Amino acid sequence: CLKWLNAYREELSDLDITPAQARALLYLQRNPDSSVRQCAQVFGVVGSTMSHLVRDLHRKGWITKQHSPQDDRHVLLALSPKGHIL
């Protein structure tokens, strides 16, 4: 996965996506409805770092966010239609 990201760094830059954001998109493609907390654990970052990355992806239209039906404090993430096209 990291080799792929490095090989496509220029293309990602053209899409205004960082390698870390692309990695998150790939993860969400395989693990839809993951929480911000789950993503932070998988990527080995603190929640605030993951929240910042998620906020940028959401603002760019690559992912969707919704509150968990089981616990309103948890936000679930998934690729948007735009994210699936990528």
Side-chain angles (χ1 to χ4, degrees), residues 17-73:
I17 297 175
T18 68
Q21 290 172 336
R23 187 173 163 219
L25 292 171
L26 287 170
Y27 178 78
L28 289 172
Q29 180 183 30
R30 295 183 179 115
N31 302 281
D33 297 326
S34 295
S35 70
V36 175
R37 181 181 293 173
Q38 287 169 320
C39 291
Q41 288 175 333
V42 167
F43 294 118
V45 298
V46 296
S48 60
T49 299
M50 194 70 214
S51 292
H52 181 73
L53 187 141
V54 164
R55 184 175 54 244
D56 287 347
L57 287 173
H58 184 257
R59 184 179 45 80
K60 293 175 184 179
W62 296 107
I63 63 170
T64 61
K65 300 189 307 185
Q66 67 179 23
H67 288 283
S68 169
Q70 289 82 21
D71 187 344
D72 199 40
R73 296 173 295 170

